[in-house]
Amino acid sequence: MLFQLYGDQALMQLLGWVLVFAGLILMNEIGRRTKLGGIMVFVVLPLCLTVYFIAATLAAKSGAAWAVNNQTVLYMNGWFHYAKLYAADIGCVGFMMLKYKWGIGKEEWFKPWPFVIVAINILIAVASDLESAINGFAAGGMQGGWWFSSENVWLYGGWWNVLNAIAGVLNIFCMTGWWGIYSSKKQDDMLWPDMTIWFIIAYDVWNFEYTYCNLPTHTWYCGVALLLAPTFANALWNKGGWIQNRANTLAIWCMFAQVFPLFQLKAPFSVLPSLYKGATEAGLTAFDMTQITTVEELTAKGITANPTAQGVVAIAAVVANVLCLAVIIKRSIEQKKNPYKNEIFAGTRDFEEAMARR
């Protein structure tokens, strides 16, 4: 079992998931359908939040009570969360430039921008995976071990992080047709038709494992609801727009989680993965886990590590990306095409449905 989703809180935990899933889809629709919506969600809102983040950080350093106890400062002030938020939002702005033909968005050389920004986001996660692996090896040798992150989260790093880092690098090479970027007829979507279900599944499995290993107290939301929202939209009404939807929902979630981290840390919406064996039985939430500062205290509260699911999903992530890459190599050889300069999934249902929206 991946999550400790049972007991008296199960219905509220499921409700929390539905609220996040529906909220992400709704905000994505607001941000993608009009220029005004996109500017408000991905330009104005991030600028306002930037002022808030800087003010809270500086005030905390000066000892201001409101800032010292601020949710963002206490639980979301690590390098990764800010890097992910701004990398995702910069991607969203670039995608708007492409679909609306703003400025350099009209230029042919700018078309690979989606590949560049997605690759950067993947590499940020790969670096985080390797950080966790190194700390895990230092704590417990090759079998892995506990370490306390800068966001006050207990992580259990090990070989699964290394495997997932490899899957992340492979995933970068699974993005094909870098210049095959189009605007939809209604100009509400940036389309990348060559990014078909093969890549989406490989990405989703890799990214779920990333969140499961490195954001364990958040992964019920950022590893399940956040990943399924753009995949759901792509499958039902926004074919070819998956990468735009992914960037939009990621930026939206990062902004929300950065300001309201306790939503996913405290009851009734907190959900822990199976890694924290014994935590639910001890009545602990994700927030309670942040208050434990030593491995000895973890043991005293009856919590032991159960990294089995981390290892299984890491293997699945590598397999999914190897299979995707194998399909790409096979099709590129058959078509005698460079898979990065050219679109190689032409003729498949996903590709043709996306191109019909061009």
Side-chain angles (χ1 to χ4, degrees), residues 3 12 63 120 127 146 155 186 201 207 330:
F3 296 98
M12 292 303 293
I120 289 172
W146 291 111
L155 305 180
K186 297 180 180 179
I201 290 176
N207 195 262
K330 180 176 182 293

Side-chain angles (χ1 to χ4, degrees), residues 51-74:
V51 174
Y52 162 71
F53 296 148
I54 294 172
T57 301
L58 294 178
K61 289 182 178 180
S62 67
W66 74 268
V68 170
N69 299 313
N70 181 275
Q71 292 185 34
T72 299
V73 174
L74 287 176

Side-chain angles (χ1 to χ4, degrees), residues 26-352:
L26 175 62
M27 288 299 295
N28 179 50
E29 292 301 305
I30 293 172
R32 64 171 273 261
R33 287 183 178 273
T34 66
K35 294 178 183 179
L36 177 61
I39 291 170
M40 293 302 296
V41 175
F42 302 115
V43 179
V44 176
L45 182 57
L47 287 174
C48 293
L49 288 179
T50 298
V51 174
Y52 162 71
F53 296 148
I54 294 172
T57 301
L58 294 178
K61 289 182 178 180
S62 67
W66 74 268
V68 170
N69 299 313
N70 181 275
Q71 292 185 34
T72 299
V73 174
L74 287 176
Y75 307 108
M76 299 292 284
N77 215 27
W79 71 268
F80 171 79
H81 293 290
Y82 284 115
K84 201 69 175 175
L85 190 163
Y86 287 103
D89 191 62
I90 290 170
C92 295
V93 174
F95 295 172
M96 286 196 295
M97 294 173 70
L98 282 163
K99 74 176 180 179
Y100 294 129
K101 308 299 182 185
W102 290 342
I104 58 174
K106 299 189 294 286
E107 304 298 331
E108 187 72 13
W109 62 264
F110 191 65
K111 283 189 173 182
W113 170 248
F115 164 77
V116 172
I117 197 64
V118 175
I120 289 172
N121 272 274
I122 291 173
L123 289 174
I124 290 171
V126 167
S128 184
D129 250 326
L130 293 176
E131 177 188 31
S132 190
I134 292 168
N135 284 303
F137 291 146
M142 292 307 295
Q143 74 272 20
W146 291 111
W147 68 284
F148 204 46
S149 77
S150 59
E151 287 87 27
N152 298 334
V153 179
W154 281 102
L155 305 180
Y156 201 82
W159 57 265
W160 38 85
N161 293 101
V162 177
L163 273 190
N164 202 54
I166 293 171
V169 173
L170 291 175
N171 195 245
I172 292 173
F173 291 97
C174 290
M175 290 185 280
T176 59
W178 300 351
W179 274 265
I181 304 298
Y182 309 97
S183 179
S184 64
K185 295 173 184 176
K186 297 180 180 179
Q187 278 200 327
D188 52 358
D189 289 307
M190 184 201 76
L191 305 176
W192 190 347
D194 223 41
M195 189 168 272
T196 65
I197 193 65
W198 282 102
F199 175 83
I200 294 170
I201 290 176
Y203 178 95
D204 280 358
V205 176
W206 161 76
N207 195 262
F208 171 76
E209 170 69 354
Y210 169 75
T211 66
Y212 198 69
C213 288
N214 301 281
L215 303 167
T217 57
H218 300 181
T219 189
W220 175 240
Y221 298 106
C222 70
V224 184
L226 176 57
L227 281 173
L228 287 181
T231 302
F232 182 81
N234 182 81
L236 296 185
W237 67 82
N238 198 354
K239 187 68 71 176
W242 178 85
I243 192 59
Q244 172 197 262
N245 296 336
R246 167 58 180 167
N248 288 358
T249 53
L250 177 59
I252 292 163
W253 170 253
C254 287
M255 287 186 278
F256 173 81
Q258 201 77 359
V259 178
F260 302 107
L262 293 183
F263 171 86
Q264 55 196 328
L265 294 179
K266 283 192 170 183
F269 299 127
S270 169
V271 177
L272 292 172
S274 59
L275 169 66
Y276 303 116
K277 186 176 181 181
T280 300
E281 290 80 357
L284 301 177
T285 65
F287 178 78
D288 297 322
M289 297 293 293
T290 67
Q291 307 306 299
I292 300 172
T293 57
T294 66
V295 174
E296 290 74 21
E297 192 176 350
L298 278 176
T299 303
K301 290 184 178 293
I303 301 170
T304 56
N306 177 22
T308 303
Q310 294 185 164
V312 171
V313 181
I315 294 170
V318 172
V319 170
N321 279 278
V322 168
L323 286 175
C324 182
L325 197 55
V327 170
I328 290 168
I329 292 171
K330 180 176 182 293
R331 291 185 67 87
S332 63
I333 291 174
E334 289 174 348
Q335 298 175 33
K336 296 182 174 58
K337 291 181 179 178
N338 181 316
Y340 306 114
K341 291 183 178 180
N342 304 286
E343 297 160 299
I344 64 165
F345 283 98
T348 64
R349 187 178 67 178
D350 275 4
F351 182 93
E352 297 304 327

